[in-house]
Amino acid sequence: MVAMVIVLSGLHVWRPDGLLGDVSYDAVTLGAGVVAWRWSGRPGRRRSGGRLIAAGLVLSGVGDVCYSVIERATGAQPDISVADVFYLSSYVLIAAGILGLLGVRRDGERFDVELMLDMGSFVILSITCIAATGRVGAIFDDSSVSTLVHLVWAAYPILDAALLAVVVKAMFSRRLWTTSGLALLAGVGGWLGSDLAALWSNDDGTSVVMNLGWMLGAALMAGAVSSKPGHRSDQSARHWSRARVLMSLAPLAVPGVVEVWSSRDGNHPNSILLLVVTACLIALAFVREARLVTARHAQDLALHKRENYWRALAGNSADAVIVVDGNGMITNDAPQLVEMLGKPGAGTMGTDALELIEPLERQRIRASLDWIRTTENVVADGEFSAQLADGSIRWFGLRAVNPALGLDIGGVIINIHDITDRKRAETDLTHLAFHDALTGLANRSLFHDRVEHAVQRSARSGADVALLYVDVDGFKAVNDTYGHS
């Protein structure tokens, strides 16, 4: 396809006039549309927007063929013809296709009003700048043609302005910053460049350079929608947010552009037109910024509700959650933890986490924290004892994890819960396992355990082991009465 475009473009430059010039031109523009339509529907291509752009290229190519046939049949360039229907339709389809690639819907099916407001501002900006140069006025100054011809001629700069707005929007969007996306924008830019050159040209015809702009523009757009979308590199969100704000405010420069251009020609601008244009732009800017403020308010309200939700969950939880940074300092307030420690009302932010632990266990906990910091998303369990404000000792269990770096937590997340009752139950069960329930004396299990330890120590040290048997007078009566067990 590239070689064919190069060959046909070369032929057109060599013989721009006559049958060869028309055939080479029409072959590129219509052929680009046919190729784009055939390939854009294949798997992996830009299905929705690509098909619209391909359809626009086909209509534009059909319009070129119709224009060439009419010109050769009549021997003159027609003021308007059926070709204009195809041309004007192609602008609409290509603009709609680019919007489809950008995505005019957000959050499911909600229409992206902000995008349309931005584009509307740039349409007014472009049309006003074109009108300020006198080119639109020159179209209506020609009294030799009918009103319908005036309207058709005026539709081209208006649609150029609309397509320019779409291109500017695409340039500020990250979705088309790929190889194929940039080729698409370059192709539309070639079209617009030739259109604007034709608008400002004093000649009735078109030059070879303009024709090349339309030909190569169609070829680039066809290649873009026929290829698979490339990988889009991620950009700074802050940079693109600022660019979008700049885009929404740029139309306010229209009055100044009109004034400067009019002063350049030594003319004075129409004050009524300037007032109406300025009012329209201010209204658009007001609606745009009002929607931004409303959206920001809704986001703040949703964030506030979410904060209250999580605060309510944390406040009614029996567990405490703290975040410990690399220096061992707690970086958040944990009211549940101070309640557990018997210090209600005290703050935890900026407190050394190890100071809450008994001195004998701090070295062990410090080593565990150092190990957790070297891992990611690995949950570690542990327990420690702490002295409360009243001097009593309570036991706490913990679950610690170092989340992934992308979460911006800034430390190790530790979930703490009171396990004092469990520790007491474990102590009671251990005592019952080795002591008699009736007398509280050591039972046979503890006796065997102590003997085994004594034998092991004797094997290690070589010391002898002595076993002293003590009889208890009258114990037989007790044993027989209450049972041998």
Side-chain angles (χ1 to χ4, degrees), residues 49 56 65 105 110 151 199 204 224 240-241 265 282 294 338 354 361 444 485:
V65 173
R105 294 185 182 274
R110 190 168 69 86
L151 293 177
L199 180 64
D204 294 334
W240 291 108
S241 298
D265 293 339
I282 292 175
T294 303
V338 296
L354 296 177
E361 299 187 82
R444 187 186 301 271
S485 60

Side-chain angles (χ1 to χ4, degrees), residues 17-208:
D17 300 322
L19 181 62
L20 181 60
D22 291 343
V23 171
S24 59
Y25 179 86
D26 296 341
V28 172
T29 56
L30 182 58
V34 173
V35 171
W37 180 261
R38 178 181 178 183
W39 284 91
S40 61
R42 298 202 172 190
R45 269 62 175 183
R46 302 174 180 270
R47 283 292 183 98
S48 57
R51 296 292 276 181
L52 289 175
I53 295 174
L57 291 175
V58 171
L59 290 182
S60 178
V62 172
D64 289 329
V65 173
C66 292
Y67 188 90
S68 299
V69 171
I70 294 174
E71 185 180 18
R72 289 205 160 273
T74 61
Q77 296 179 350
D79 293 331
I80 60 173
S81 65
V82 67
D84 292 293
V85 177
F86 296 107
Y87 286 145
L88 296 178
S89 300
S90 67
Y91 283 93
V92 177
L93 290 177
I94 291 175
I98 297 177
L99 289 179
L101 297 180
L102 291 177
V104 296
R105 294 185 182 274
R106 300 183 309 178
D107 302 335
E109 294 298 324
R110 190 168 69 86
F111 194 72
D112 191 349
V113 180
E114 284 76 13
L115 182 140
M116 304 308 297
L117 287 172
D118 289 340
M119 287 175 39
S121 299
F122 265 89
V123 169
I124 293 179
L125 172 63
S126 304
I127 294 175
T128 306
C129 291
I130 294 173
T133 64
R135 304 311 301 177
V136 175
I139 292 176
F140 289 95
D141 288 341
D142 189 355
S143 58
S144 63
V145 296
S146 64
T147 302
L148 178 61
V149 175
H150 285 156
L151 293 177
V152 173
W153 286 354
Y156 283 98
I158 293 175
L159 290 177
D160 280 332
L163 191 56
L164 177 62
V166 175
V167 171
V168 172
K169 176 61 184 176
M171 292 175 63
F172 282 102
S173 174
R174 289 178 290 173
R175 294 193 178 186
L176 295 185
W177 280 94
T178 63
T179 303
S180 58
L182 293 177
L184 174 64
L185 297 181
V188 178
W191 256 33
L192 291 176
S194 295
D195 283 352
L196 295 177
L199 180 64
W200 265 281
S201 176
N202 295 323
D203 299 330
D204 294 334
T206 58
S207 66
V208 176

Side-chain angles (χ1 to χ4, degrees), residues 290-447:
R291 288 184 62 85
L292 288 177
V293 172
T294 303
R296 177 63 182 271
H297 177 71
Q299 291 176 353
D300 291 342
L301 182 61
L303 180 61
H304 181 68
K305 289 182 178 180
R306 187 170 292 276
E307 288 178 350
N308 290 338
Y309 173 79
W310 291 110
R311 188 177 293 110
L313 288 181
N316 292 279
S317 174
D319 295 350
V321 179
I322 62 174
V323 179
V324 179
D325 63 14
N327 297 321
M329 308 301 291
I330 301 176
T331 62
N332 67 307
D333 283 324
Q336 293 83 1
L337 181 59
V338 296
E339 289 287 343
M340 293 178 181
L341 299 177
K343 302 177 182 178
T348 58
M349 184 178 294
T351 303
D352 189 349
L354 296 177
E355 294 294 331
L356 306 176
I357 303 173
E358 285 295 290
L360 296 178
E361 299 187 82
R362 291 176 185 173
Q363 187 62 34
R364 177 177 62 85
I365 299 298
R366 180 181 288 107
S368 299
L369 286 176
D370 292 340
W371 176 80
I372 294 173
R373 291 191 188 99
T374 61
T375 62
E376 284 186 5
N377 297 323
V378 177
V379 179
D381 296 323
E383 57 186 39
F384 65 94
S385 60
Q387 186 175 14
L388 271 61
D390 59 1
S392 61
I393 301 296
R394 296 192 70 86
W395 282 87
F396 300 94
L398 62 86
R399 292 175 62 86
V401 63
N402 182 22
L405 297 177
L407 297 180
D408 295 330
I409 300 298
V412 177
I413 302 175
I414 302 178
N415 183 285
I416 302 174
H417 50 281
D418 195 331
I419 60 171
T420 303
D421 293 337
R422 194 192 77 190
K423 295 292 289 186
R424 288 174 179 170
E426 290 176 356
T427 302
D428 293 339
L429 289 175
T430 302
H431 185 270
L432 290 175
F434 293 103
H435 294 80
D436 179 69
L438 179 63
T439 64
L441 299 176
N443 61 13
R444 187 186 301 271
S445 298
L446 184 58
F447 168 77

